[in-house]
Structures are given as C-alpha cells and as structure tokens.
Amino acid sequence: MVKFSKELEAQLIPEWKDAFVNYWQLKKHIKKIKLARNKRPIQLNHGFGRSIVDPIRFIAMKLLSTKLFYSSNNNTNTDDDETGKVRSTSMEDASDHEVEFYQTELLQLFSEEDEVRVFFERLDEELNKVNQFYKTKESEFLERGEALNDQLQTLMDLKQILDGNRRRKLNNLPRSSSSSRRNSGFSESPLGLNDGSTEISDEIIAAFERNGVKFMNSPAAGGGAKRKKVEKRKAAMRIDIPATTPTSAISAVTSMLWEDLISNSTKQDSTAGHSINRKKIQCAEKMIRTAFVELYRGLGLLKTYSSLNMVAFTKILKKFDKVSKQQASASYLKAVKRSHFISSDKVVRLMDEVESIFTQHFANNDRKRAMKFLRPQQHKDSHLVTFFSGLFTGCFVSLFGIYIILAHLCDIFSSTTGTAYMETVYPVFSVFALLSLHMFLYGCNMMMWKNTRINYNFIFEFAPNTALKYRDAFLICTTLMTCIVGALLIHLLLTAAAISPSHVDTIPGVLLLIFIALLICPFDIFYRPTRYCFLRIMRNIICSPLYKVLMVDFFMADQLTSQIPLLRHLESTACYFLAGSFKTHQYTCKNGSLYRQFAYVISFSPYYWRAMQCARRWFDESDPNHLANMGKYVSAMVAAGARLTYATQSSGLWFGVVLVTSIVATVYQLYWDFVKDWGLLNPNSKNPWLRDDLMLKNKSFYYISIALNVVLRVAWIESITQFRINQVQTHLLDFFLASLEVIRRGHWNFYRLENEHLNNVGKFRAVKTVPLPFREMDSD
C-alpha cells in the first residue's frame, strides 16, 4: 500500500506545490506530539507524578473547540455549535476583498509550548493558505471566463451578420454572374466570409454597440436619418494577432503585430469606411478556442487542488486522533468542509459551461470531439517500446563488437588504408553517431525531468497526447545506432570482398537519403507529430528573427551550437557526393577555396541564429538581458572564426588572437551558464553558492556539475595545441571532442529546464495564458 505522502507528491500540481497543504511538516508535528506523550511515563520513574489537570485536559481534548474568524462587512456574529462557540469577526483588506481566515483556539489548558497548540496553529496556517490561494485562482478563472464569453459573443455576432450580408449580395447578383462564380470554384468559408474584405454596414455597427463596443467617427445606431450630428466615439475595436509561431495554432498572420479589425479610413467628408479581413477572423476564432481549452485545463487543475487538499486534511487529522487518542478531527473537519475551497461550486459550474460552449461553437455539437480537445488522453506506455529498446540495444552491442573485430583483422584503420576509408565512411556515420548520442542524452533528460516532477511538456508547450516520452527517445536512439552499425558492417564486408568501390561507397549516401525521406514522410508512422514539430522548429530557427521566439525554439537553437561538428560533417558529405568523388576517389573538393569559405558559414550559422533570436526577444520584451545574451553568441562566433583561421594560418599573431577571443568567450559562456541559465552562484543562498530551491536532494551533484561544465567548456584548448599523430587518429580525436560537447549540452539541459521550472513555480504558472483577439482601444 502506497503511503499518502508519496501519493500526494505524485499527484500534486508541480507549479502549485508551495500552495498545497504542507503535509510533511504537519507529520513532523504529529511525531513531536507522539514523542512528548511517550515521555510522560518515563518521568514517573524519576520521581515526578502526573499533573492533577490531566483528567481535565483529557476532557478538554474531547471537547476541542474550533473558532472560525472570517470577514464579512464589519459585523460580529456568535453562533453555537456542538462543541463550542463559533465567532465571526469582520475584516477587510486594502483591495476591498473579503478575507476569510480560520483560527483554532484550544481551551486555556495548554501552555504556549504545548505541541498540540503548535500543531493546530500550523494547521490553521495551512488551511488559510489553501483557502486564500483557491479563492485567488477561482476569481482569476471566473474573470477569464467572463472575458472569453464577451470575446465569443463578439465573434458570433460578427460571423452571423456578415454571413447574412454576403448571402444578400449573392442573391442580388445576376443569375449568370452567380453561376459563373460557382463554376469558378467559389465556395463558402467556414466562417461565412469571402476571401477578400467585407464592408461593414450600420447594422453591424449597431450589433457591436449593443455589446458595448463603439466605433470612432461612426453614426449612432438607429438614428442615422434623424440625427444631424455625428457623435464622437471614445473607443475603437482592434484585433491583436501575435506574430506567427509554428508551434501554436492561434496565429496565421505574419506581416503585422498589431492590426485593426475595423480599419478607419478617414475621408474628407468624414465618412468612415470599415473592412474586415477573413484571415484575421479565422485567427481570432483559433485564439478563442485555444483560450477555452486552457481555461478548462486550469479549472481541472483547481478542482484537483481542492480534492487533494481535502484528503490531506482528513489524513493528517486522523493521524492526530490516533496519536493523541482523542476524537478532535470531527469538529475541525466540519470547519474545513465549510471553507470556501470545498463549499464553493463555481469551478464545477464553470467547467460545465465551458464544455457546453465548446461543444456548441467549436465541435458542431459533437461532445466526443469536444472532449478530445478539452481532455486529451495521454498515450499509455507500451511494453513493446521497452521490449524493442532492449532488443535493439543488444543488437547494437553485438554488431559493434563484430565490427571492431573485423576492422582489426582487415587492418582498416592503418595509416596506409585508413585514409581512404575515413574520407568515405567517417563523415556520414559520425553525423548519425552524434545524433544518436544527443537523442540518448535527451531521453536521459526526460527521464530525470519526470522523476524530479519538472513539467517539461508545459514548458515546451508540447501536446500531451503526442509528446515524445523518454522510452520513445531510447527506442529511436537504439534503432538508429543499430542501423548505423549494421551499415558499417555491410560496408566493411563488401570492401573486404573486393566489390567495386564506386558501388560500396554509395552506402553512406543511401543511408543518409533514407533518413531524410523518413524525416519528411507524410504518413502517420515513426512519430510523425514529433518529426513535423522538429521540422517546424528548425524552420523557426533558420528564419530567425522573423518568427516570435518560444522556449522550445531557443532551446533547440542552443542544441545546434553544440552540433557544429555534425554540420561540418554534413558539409564534407555533400562535397564528397555532389563533386562525384565517390566515383573517382579523388578527395580534392576539400582543398578548394569555396569549401573553406563555406566552413565559416557553417560554423557561424548556429551562433548567428541564436543571436538573432535574442534580438527578436529584446524587440518583443524590451529586456536588456537579451542583448547581453546576444553578446555571448557574438563572442563565440568571433572565437570560432579565429580558430578556423588559425587552423590554416598557424602564426604567432593568430595564436594570440585565438587565445584572447577564446578566453573571453569561455568566461562569458561560463558566467551565463551558471548565473543566468542555471540560476546558481548566489552568495546569499541558504545553499552555499547555489540557489534556495533545488530539485535534487544531494547538493554535491550541483558542485560536481559546475566543475564538469568548466572542464568541458575549455575543450577548445586541444584545437590550438594541434596534437596530431596521423589522419585516422585525428578524425577519431575530433569525434571524441565532439562527443564531449554533446555530453556537456545534455548535462546543461537538465539544469536549464530545472531553473525554468522553478521560475514557473515561483509565479504559480501552471496554465498558458492565451492572448485574446478583440479589445477596445481608447482614443481621443
């Protein structure tokens, strides 16, 4: 049987953990009460007798009274209940909101040091904390629900009236014109709008004004012929469409950040011309739909919060009764059940209302379809995934062992025959090996995030029903590595069998083409949602700074900065196959100036993309920290360029340039890693030189990680020492250093997301806030 403390730890909302009842602290108080009571018989042996008030104390515990103090318009009431008197005291806070708090008053039979009094004081604090947090979140969700209802009503009125106007225009057209439009492929849009813009009549303006929305320089509804003056309006209707984010379905417009829903074209005769764009309305509908989904999710979390806390109070009071051998929990539980977080039914009613609205307006009255959006089901872990992961792991180890033995027997890595082999095989297979290593580390990250209750799906805004799990990552990694080693073994066997080299050397290229085809495969196989999500993120990164930057975008861009060797290997592979070297076995393309110049582009690109993302975030958020972060990537770009130049021009001047630029970039990167990305090195923290909140219980892991990150950050020293023996060993050493950088990035990933999660916890941010499209703009 699982203990309730572990069950509570597994089910509570991670971002709201501090708002839950501190069940573990209350258990410690229970243990203190138990120890205090166990000491009493021992004291008799030391010559001390029982107190004469113990029988009275026993009766008093039976009649434990609970006083409830809560605010209500500055009045004082006194009611009798079964165990004592319940006094109501008025209180108002600075914001004129009612503040309800509870305080248990034991009869004046316990001293201030009594553990029972301390326990109930702590219990009162927890009850007040839970109750106040629930009321705060409930009011937020209720306000959000009202705002969404207004937004939906505006959208529905707009769609209904515009649909009627469009039909009247079609009916007024000549029959030949109507038929020609039908023959030309004209069809109704799902919103009842045509592809162009629609002029707004007085009827539409009047419908908006009935909802409290007024337009600038528009005549009053219903009085256009009678009124001689045009009333000056105080508000204008705007639609707020964010910049395109491919990971979100709430935006379809890329050209503008702020655009008018109603465009006011002021003319000389003060006649207002209004137009509505169909794409904006479609985008507004998607935003409202997503906002309803997030609202429903938040309400579900608040409902879970209420039920878990109620169970926690029940469990801890039962433990108190068991230890104290009293029956004091009944009266306190009555107070808990009367508290707002249990007695209020506003959340349940709002959830029912959201279900009804969503089913009617966004699912065509199909409740089953609506529930797929509102309550997406997570796929259960399949035992087949675990089975095949183990199977492919065994296959990989076996095939790799066979390959090492055959390569040694064929003397494939010797200085005479190894050069040609490394030029044809090494680049492509290094790409897959580094990619597999990165995927394996990402699977380890997800496993650690899950074990430490870091909500990485919420941080990355992944859909819970299609998000990749750590077992899936391990399956992809082991499958890929098995295919790679299998292809290596086939290539080695065909080479040893004296097959034509022009045919044998196409194996790496064929493997690369198969991988690309699988990546863009449109069929719903091999994790299509994950593959397409990866492609969208890559498009976001490459097109920086044209797209709004999300967490997953710059997180993936940081991964690319650690995979520059992989990109360089892709360059070598493209050079080898596009230049036809696999037919002639003349490796001359690497000696060309174009190849060397393109090497700079490849090495700069990840840092450039990341710097442009920082510039875009600074533009959107006006936070100077993003400019400082951009400086880090610019310094890394300069250092990378200096090292590339030094590799071809080994002079003392360039050695000094490489040394200075690399040291500056490394110090910059280490500071940002520890202070900004990981949130560590806080001298005032209760954990020396770490931070106050830590997800890992063992602090030594953080100190070891700091030291390891420093060591792996200075691996560039090898590039200026030029420690080389022969070409084969050079390639192997480069692959080893590239693997160390990938390992450092996987190690960095955990602490980066841990810090992001703690920031969400500090702000109690468990639900995504979707911007609403329609808003009123005050104007003079």
Side-chain angles (χ1 to χ4, degrees), residues 12 37 71 89 130 134 148 198 201 232 256 318 345 350 355 388-389 451-452 466 542 580 617 622 642 724 765 771 776:
L12 60 77
R37 290 181 176 274
S71 66
T89 307
V130 170
Y134 184 89
L148 283 177
T198 303
S201 63
K232 184 178 181 181
M256 295 184 181
K318 286 184 177 179
D345 62 343
L350 185 56
E355 289 180 7
F388 281 112
S389 296
N451 292 337
T452 54
T466 58
I542 295 173
R617 295 188 71 190
S622 300
R724 300 289 186 272
R765 189 167 48 201
E776 297 180 15

Side-chain angles (χ1 to χ4, degrees), residues 306-552:
S306 173
S307 59
L308 284 177
N309 280 294
M310 183 62 205
V311 176
F313 279 115
T314 304
K315 293 285 186 180
I316 201 65
L317 286 171
K318 286 184 177 179
K319 285 182 177 294
F320 174 79
D321 287 349
K322 184 178 180 181
V323 170
S324 63
K325 298 180 181 179
Q326 313 297 326
Q327 298 298 324
S329 63
S331 58
Y332 202 97
L333 281 178
K334 289 180 181 179
V336 174
K337 292 178 181 178
R338 287 196 298 266
S339 62
H340 187 82
F341 82 97
I342 294 297
S343 60
S344 176
D345 62 343
K346 294 180 181 179
V347 170
V348 176
R349 287 191 282 111
L350 185 56
M351 289 183 70
D352 294 338
E353 184 180 351
V354 171
E355 289 180 7
S356 176
I357 291 175
F358 197 92
T359 303
Q360 179 182 357
H361 295 285
F362 300 105
N364 295 326
N365 292 319
D366 187 350
R367 179 175 174 80
K368 185 177 181 180
R369 178 186 174 190
M371 289 299 104
K372 289 182 179 180
F373 286 95
L374 297 176
R375 298 178 185 174
Q377 298 294 326
Q378 295 186 3
H379 294 297
K380 296 182 178 180
D381 294 333
S382 174
H383 294 293
L384 288 177
V385 175
T386 306
F387 169 76
F388 281 112
S389 296
L391 176 65
F392 286 125
T393 300
C395 293
F396 162 69
V397 173
S398 301
L399 291 175
F400 187 73
I402 296 173
Y403 170 77
I404 292 297
I405 294 173
L406 292 179
H408 178 71
L409 294 177
C410 297
D411 199 20
I412 203 68
F413 293 117
S414 64
S415 58
T416 56
T417 60
T419 302
Y421 183 78
M422 295 300 289
E423 290 292 340
T424 57
V425 173
Y426 170 75
V428 177
F429 289 105
S430 293
V431 168
F432 289 111
L434 292 174
L435 188 61
S436 300
L437 177 61
H438 213 139
M439 180 61 70
F440 172 76
L441 292 172
Y442 180 63
C444 294
N445 288 149
M446 288 192 290
M447 183 173 65
M448 288 296 297
W449 291 332
K450 181 180 179 181
N451 292 337
T452 54
R453 301 280 294 163
I454 294 176
N455 195 355
Y456 61 92
N457 283 334
F458 171 70
I459 295 174
F460 289 141
E461 299 184 19
F462 288 157
N465 55 338
T466 58
L468 201 68
K469 300 180 180 179
Y470 72 90
R471 289 187 177 90
D472 300 317
F474 289 150
L475 177 61
I476 295 173
C477 168
T478 54
T479 303
L480 188 59
M481 287 304 300
T482 301
C483 295
I484 293 170
V485 179
L488 274 173
L489 190 58
I490 293 173
H491 182 276
L492 183 61
L493 291 175
L494 294 179
T495 301
I499 305 297
S500 173
S502 59
H503 294 87
V504 175
D505 290 346
T506 59
I507 293 178
V510 171
L511 184 64
L512 183 61
L513 290 177
I514 292 175
F515 175 78
I516 295 175
L518 184 62
L519 184 63
I520 63 177
C521 177
F523 301 108
D524 193 8
I525 55 175
F526 301 117
Y527 303 101
R528 184 181 68 175
T530 301
R531 291 188 284 110
Y532 278 23
C533 179
F534 171 77
L535 294 175
R536 288 194 298 269
I537 294 172
M538 291 301 299
R539 186 188 70 177
N540 261 14
I541 295 172
I542 295 173
C543 295
S544 299
L546 300 180
Y547 291 94
K548 185 177 180 180
V549 183
L550 301 180
M551 174 71 187
V552 68

